[in-house]
Amino acid sequence: MQTVGRLEGKVAVITGGASGIGREIARRFVAEGARVTLGDLDVRLLGEAARELGPACTTLEANVTVEDDVERLVAAAIDAFGRLDVGVNCAGLSTFGPIAELSEGDWNLTVDVCLTGVFLSVKHEARRLLAQGEGGSIINIASLNAVQPAEGMSAYCASKAGIDMLTRCAALELGPHGIRVNAIGPGLIDTPLTQFQRDLPGIRAGYLENIPLGRVGTTQDVASAALFLASEESSWVTGDLLLVDGGARTKRYPEMFRLIAEGLADLEQQDLGT
Ligand code: NAD
């Protein structure tokens, strides 16, 4: 990876930084000269990230749904590196269930992590950036599902659409202080979160049919967008939702109920055959 120091001297907090997209953003930011503090629930993966990234990285076990944890995470970045310039709010999960059967528990879990967690993170990052008085950049990881509905994913889609509006509200309020707030909407990216579509090849094919650029996305694709939004190259961009989806927005979301039913039936057939 070529490094040109586009984030030299900057300090970033990254929630959900232990795995997948958050981990790749941490890698890219450090390669570009930043120092990062990663917060996550997964202590084992946090340890791995710390060993990989060395002295430019500190980590903290932090649950984004707990306000004290989020406050401690921002404080940890200040303790370690003396300042904050960038917040990347990436922690997330997904639940699946038809709306008529979706439990309140699954709904609440999804909204708590994906939407309330982003709100709490923006709140405490903004407080610190306002106190410093030197501007900054906040990047919320939403989804293509902020704008494109998906069967069985109502809680996730509603949360991600909520991030889009939260991002615009925060951009409106914080713009006069030089703090930019943007969201990224990834399409299908290969990470642990999307293992299901590697387990059921019909689902992966269903996604691919609807991606004009003809491939699934990588964590590097999203990290490149995050680098742009964190750096001065995007200094006049705020309140935006940048879709990183291979053009999937121009088509339609795969028919999840049908594809899952067919995929599970195929697996059952294979089991019977062995
Ligand atoms: P991932 O599972 O690899 O990473 C998510 C990380 O969030 C994990 O390390 C997990 O431990 C952490 N996390 C979960 N709940 C948390 C909590 N309460 N507090 C702190 N950390 C918590 O998945 P990913 O694909 O890298 O997802 C990262 C973000 O990207 C999510 O917000 C996801 O919704 C979004 N996204 C992913 C895709 C995709 O196709 N992979 C597409 C669109 C959006």
Side-chain angles (χ1 to χ4, degrees):
M1 166 88 40
Q2 195 195 356
T3 64
V4 292
R6 276 171 284 196
L7 299 181
E8 208 60 60
K10 306 257 189 210
V11 175
V13 158
I14 304 176
T15 74
S19 175
I21 291 170
R23 175 85 163 265
E24 188 63 37
I25 291 173
R27 224 174 251 134
R28 182 71 68 86
F29 280 16
V30 168
E32 293 286 344
R35 289 165 295 166
V36 296
T37 295
L38 312 183
D40 205 292
L41 290 178
D42 193 321
V43 179
R44 186 185 64 78
L45 287 180
L46 279 177
E48 235 182 47
R51 282 190 294 282
E52 179 191 343
L53 298 175
C57 173
T58 61
T59 65
L60 186 77
E61 181 180 0
N63 182 341
V64 291
T65 69
V66 176
E67 184 157 9
D68 276 356
D69 280 17
V70 177
E71 207 170 352
R72 282 193 307 112
L73 182 63
V74 173
I78 309 308
D79 284 351
F81 304 123
R83 58 179 294 109
L84 183 69
D85 301 281
V86 180
V88 180
N89 303 319
C90 192
L93 49 71
S94 183
T95 51
F96 190 85
I99 198 155
E101 287 157 34
L102 186 66
S103 71
E104 191 182 356
D106 275 359
W107 171 272
N108 285 339
L109 173 67
T110 312
V111 174
D112 281 354
V113 176
C114 289
L115 183 55
T116 307
V118 172
F119 155 64
L120 292 173
S121 305
V122 171
K123 172 179 171 179
H124 287 282
E125 290 155 3
R127 271 194 184 173
R128 176 65 203 186
L129 293 174
L130 286 167
Q132 277 178 194
E134 296 170 39
S137 173
I138 296 176
I139 302 162
N140 298 323
I141 305 301
S143 167
L144 167 63
N145 294 123
V147 294
Q148 198 173 56
E151 290 171 354
M153 293 166 63
S154 53
Y156 185 77
C157 294
S159 302
K160 295 298 187 178
I163 293 180
D164 180 26
M165 184 52 83
L166 173 69
T167 298
R168 286 187 266 163
C169 290
L172 177 69
E173 287 188 27
L174 298 171
H177 302 276
I179 301 167
R180 299 182 296 107
V181 189
N182 291 287
I184 295 175
L188 180 66
I189 309 291
D190 273 330
T191 70
L193 185 73
T194 53
Q195 181 60 42
F196 67 94
Q197 52 83 31
R198 292 189 289 282
D199 293 340
L200 300 176
I203 297 191
R204 190 173 178 87
Y207 275 100
L208 279 167
E209 258 173 38
N210 289 296
I211 302 174
L213 287 180
R215 68 168 174 86
V216 169
T218 64
T219 54
Q220 288 88 345
D221 291 321
V222 184
S224 296
L227 173 60
F228 168 67
L229 291 173
S231 76
E232 294 310 313
E233 285 167 32
S234 61
S235 63
W236 210 47
V237 179
T238 195
D240 198 21
L241 169 67
L242 173 54
L243 295 182
V244 180
D245 68 348
R249 171 69 172 88
T250 62
K251 299 189 91 175
R252 61 187 187 137
Y253 212 74
E255 291 172 41
M256 297 304 276
F257 289 151
R258 180 178 62 78
L259 291 169
I260 287 173
E262 288 173 3
L264 292 176
D266 282 351
L267 281 184
E268 215 167 284
Q269 282 295 332
Q270 284 168 24
D271 283 352
L272 289 173
T274 55

